[in-house]
Amino acid sequence: MNKPNFLLVDGMALLFRAFYATAVTGQFMINSKGLPTNGVQGFIKHMMTAVSRFKPTHVAVCWDMGSTTFRTEMFPQYKANRGEAPVELIPQFELVKEVVEAFDIPNIGIPGFEADDCIGTLARKAPGEVGVSILTGDKDILQLIDDRISVILLQKGYGNYLVHNRESFYIEKGIWPEQMIDLKALMGDPSDNYPGVRGIGEKTAIKLLQQFNNVEGILENLHQLTAGQRKKIEEDLEMLHLSRQLAEIKCDVEVECNLDTAFFKIDRDKVLDKFTEVEFRGLHKLIPAEQEVV
């Protein structure tokens, strides 16, 4: 029997990517009930293409549960730069979960936390003999990579991936995955709307982390920094610490996913019945006629 491989899917990342890929040309794929389905159809295509390629034994999908989290309580401006979801996307948040249920794949989310926190916790909690892969388009999740957790980053189109483990990440970035938290603490994250240290960009931040390992190491060696770097950090010290807290994915939230419930075995008739109900077209090709026992 092959080693178990648990695929954790970043549901929001896939759904948003799929929605905007077609929404830009107005292809909302509205069915006879007046329900837009473009995001859900693209989500299924992303998920099943990856399943076909990476052949996981277990699958679970993690979701955000609203925009209010412990991070917005710490920093009200967190993600405040993001507009309301388009009206065509809103009904698809529930629809996509219904379709995932038809695959007998667990939908997982906890109010007050982001999907990333659920993914991080489940990845770290997985039994030692289980390999973990995370399917996402969100580079924040790269901080979770360790000796048994890899990240599959979606690239443009379907079936194009950049797969990162510890070594490949280091080769690309010059720092280790766990140092990403400190990198974002220093340089901030415009997409999540927190500034880090004003005036410290990625290049400088990486150089400092290569030299001093983490934020604590940098602060212990401020005397070795240039006068300009030292001044910037000292003036934004509070935001540096806050940004680090915002950047770090929590891996100890109250979430469970029994591996037995995540065992991946498709009931083809059940899935195709759901596809017919929602009026999906062309996706039946992604559902194998007979499933090989892994």
Side-chain angles (χ1 to χ4, degrees):
M1 187 173 176
N2 293 336
K3 176 183 172 183
N5 182 25
F6 190 11
L7 180 69
L8 288 164
V9 179
D10 183 350
M12 287 301 186
L14 269 65
L15 182 66
F16 273 85
R17 177 179 284 257
F19 175 82
Y20 285 109
T22 46
V24 70
T25 54
Q27 299 173 52
F28 296 114
M29 304 175 188
I30 296 169
N31 67 15
S32 64
K33 302 177 187 74
L35 197 64
T37 63
N38 63 318
V40 184
Q41 293 198 57
F43 170 93
I44 296 302
K45 195 170 176 184
H46 275 306
M47 182 177 76
M48 290 308 298
T49 303
V51 163
S52 175
R53 166 83 174 270
F54 297 101
K55 298 181 168 42
T57 55
H58 300 75
V59 181
V61 183
C62 295
W63 302 98
D64 293 345
M65 302 290 284
S67 57
T68 303
T69 68
F70 77 95
R71 292 183 179 88
T72 54
E73 289 175 11
M74 287 167 52
F75 186 59
Q77 293 91 343
Y78 181 74
K79 292 190 176 179
N81 54 336
R82 302 190 183 188
E84 293 292 315
V87 292
E88 296 88 357
L89 178 57
I90 291 169
Q92 299 190 59
F93 290 135
E94 284 309 311
L95 178 61
V96 71
K97 291 175 187 172
E98 288 178 23
V99 176
V100 168
E101 281 177 13
F103 281 85
D104 296 316
I105 294 172
N107 285 304
I108 295 167
I110 304 183
F113 296 93
E114 295 180 50
D116 289 6
D117 302 309
C118 295
I119 289 170
T121 300
L122 294 175
R124 293 279 158 82
K125 273 187 179 178
E129 72 278 8
V130 176
V132 179
S133 304
I134 301 168
L135 179 66
T136 185
D138 181 359
K139 292 183 179 178
D140 290 351
I141 285 181
L142 292 167
Q143 66 181 262
L144 296 173
I145 294 170
D146 64 18
D147 291 336
R148 68 188 183 100
I149 300 172
S150 60
V151 171
I152 304 164
L153 279 179
L154 298 170
Q155 304 296 291
K156 193 170 182 180
Y158 291 96
N160 300 314
Y161 309 102
L162 179 60
V163 182
H164 266 312
N165 56 28
R166 274 180 66 77
E167 287 68 34
S168 66
F169 179 88
Y170 183 82
I171 289 166
E172 181 178 301
K173 297 292 282 187
I175 56 174
W176 294 105
E178 58 272 20
Q179 291 177 290
M180 254 196 80
I181 305 165
D182 301 274
L183 176 65
K184 291 186 68 178
L186 288 160
M187 61 180 280
D189 187 338
S191 69
D192 286 343
N193 203 41
Y194 59 88
V197 177
R198 287 166 296 181
I200 300 271
E202 183 175 21
K203 192 174 177 182
T204 300
I206 287 174
K207 188 177 176 184
L208 291 173
L209 291 172
Q210 287 171 337
Q211 193 170 356
F212 302 112
N213 192 41
N214 53 31
V215 165
E216 290 75 18
I218 292 167
L219 295 178
E220 287 167 9
N221 292 279
L222 282 176
H223 60 283
Q224 294 191 47
L225 274 55
T226 67
Q229 290 169 349
R230 187 166 63 247
K231 184 171 185 288
K232 288 169 186 170
I233 289 172
E234 286 174 343
E235 286 179 350
D236 262 343
L237 199 54
E238 189 176 339
M239 184 50 74
L240 172 64
H241 289 302
L242 177 58
S243 294
R244 195 186 188 288
Q245 287 180 278
L246 295 171
E248 185 170 16
I249 292 172
K250 283 186 71 66
C251 294
D252 58 357
V253 300
E254 295 290 323
V255 64
E256 296 288 340
C257 178
N258 186 302
L259 269 185
D260 291 343
T261 66
F263 182 73
F264 186 68
K265 187 168 180 13
I266 293 175
D267 179 335
R268 193 169 194 268
D269 290 341
K270 183 178 178 182
V271 171
L272 294 183
D273 284 349
K274 189 66 180 178
F275 284 5
T276 301
E277 176 197 327
V278 188
E279 300 172 25
F280 288 169
R281 291 183 178 84
L283 293 187
H284 65 279
K285 297 177 291 187
L286 298 172
I287 313 304
E290 289 183 20
Q291 192 168 11
E292 182 183 338
V293 178
V294 183

